[in-house]
Amino acid sequence: MSVNRNTKETCQSKMTLLEEILKANEAFVKNEEFKAYKTDKTPNKKAVFLTCMDTRLSELATKAFGLKNGDIKQLKNAGAVVSHPYGSTMRSILVAVYALGVDEVFIMGHHDCGFGALKPDPVIKEMKDRGISEDTFNTLDHSGIDVRDWLKGFDSVEESVTETVNNVKNHPLLAKSIPVHGLIMDPETGKADLVINGYEKVEE
Ligand SMILES: [Zn+2]
């Protein structure tokens, strides 16, 4: 059953999350804390990183490499995957390369990935429990959209990173001179293992 969790939460506490973050924002600006983050649009390290949206990686994914605000372009999605050649993640990588001064691409998955372990059936059940009708699923099915397949995670993070690196590297619109690296991070320690060294596959 989908009793509105947020409403319940709001009644119990004084401040909603929205109010809380807007209040913090007001103080941040007033105290000029932004000065510590001053940078520009061009990444100092000329790189774009695609990592997972896992909460443990929010800061770890950059701090563990000694990267600071402004050093790289950061992209995040569930699982750090590029599964659609003309989806918004691939478009962002291409924009980073051709319009925002990026010369290298890093794809970084991680161990214990929530998306990797994702099973579509419980997610679909949850959607239905929250009011998405059977009709909607039928309509999508008739339009050729396989929701089960679309929601499927991966069995091996090594395979997933390799597949995404290959999808990006072999994209018809990516210049052959751009290296695409593959890494896997341990979300507990920040230790990164190299899966693919993109310099070895670069064609000038
Ligand atoms: Zn993940």
Side-chain angles (χ1 to χ4, degrees):
M1 262 300 289
S2 66
V3 176
N4 193 327
R5 300 166 186 185
N6 294 332
T7 309
K8 199 176 164 206
E9 193 70 29
T10 308
C11 294
Q12 283 169 351
S13 58
K14 284 189 187 73
M15 218 187 281
T16 62
L17 175 61
L18 179 62
E19 288 164 347
E20 182 188 320
I21 64 166
L22 288 176
K23 191 165 179 256
N25 179 254
E26 210 174 295
F28 180 90
V29 176
K30 190 166 169 256
N31 300 332
E32 299 190 342
E33 289 175 54
F34 53 84
K35 284 180 173 170
Y37 302 93
K38 212 80 182 162
T39 183
D40 61 30
K41 280 187 281 187
T42 313
N44 302 324
K45 306 285 187 195
K46 297 179 189 282
V48 59
F49 270 61
L50 170 63
T51 63
C52 183
M53 66 184 193
D54 191 294
T55 42
R56 292 167 294 180
L57 298 188
S58 295
E59 291 187 38
L60 192 70
T62 48
K63 296 265 166 74
F65 293 115
L67 296 167
K68 297 190 294 293
N69 199 45
D71 278 351
I72 56 164
K73 293 283 173 199
Q74 286 192 73
L75 297 172
K76 286 181 180 286
N77 68 22
V81 292
V82 173
S83 45
H84 195 297
Y86 296 97
S88 57
T89 301
M90 188 63 222
R91 181 177 59 193
S92 300
I93 291 172
L94 293 170
V95 168
V97 168
Y98 293 113
L100 299 165
V102 159
D103 289 337
E104 304 193 34
V105 181
F106 292 77
I107 307 296
M108 192 176 79
H110 67 100
H111 296 296
D112 189 32
C113 182
F115 177 72
L118 196 73
K119 299 282 173 275
D121 290 334
V123 180
I124 291 171
K125 186 187 176 299
E126 185 70 16
M127 288 172 172
K128 289 178 179 172
D129 287 351
R130 295 208 205 174
I132 312 301
S133 71
E134 198 69 51
D135 264 5
T136 302
F137 286 95
N138 290 337
T139 306
L140 289 170
D141 193 39
H142 290 308
S143 317
I145 294 164
D146 185 340
V147 177
R148 277 195 91 257
D149 191 56
W150 185 58
L151 287 171
K152 208 158 58 191
F154 46 76
D155 295 327
S156 146
V157 66
E158 287 83 1
E159 278 172 27
S160 173
V161 166
T162 302
E163 190 180 328
T164 286
V165 166
N166 289 337
N167 288 348
V168 174
K169 183 68 192 162
N170 299 324
H171 195 280
L173 296 177
L174 188 79
K176 298 287 174 233
S177 58
I178 302 292
V180 184
H181 311 289
L183 296 155
I184 296 173
M185 181 166 274
D186 178 340
E188 298 302 321
T189 64
K191 183 181 186 300
D193 291 317
L194 187 64
V195 179
I196 291 168
N197 179 339
Y199 299 132
E200 292 169 359
K201 296 182 179 180
V202 164
E203 295 168 35
E204 289 304 332

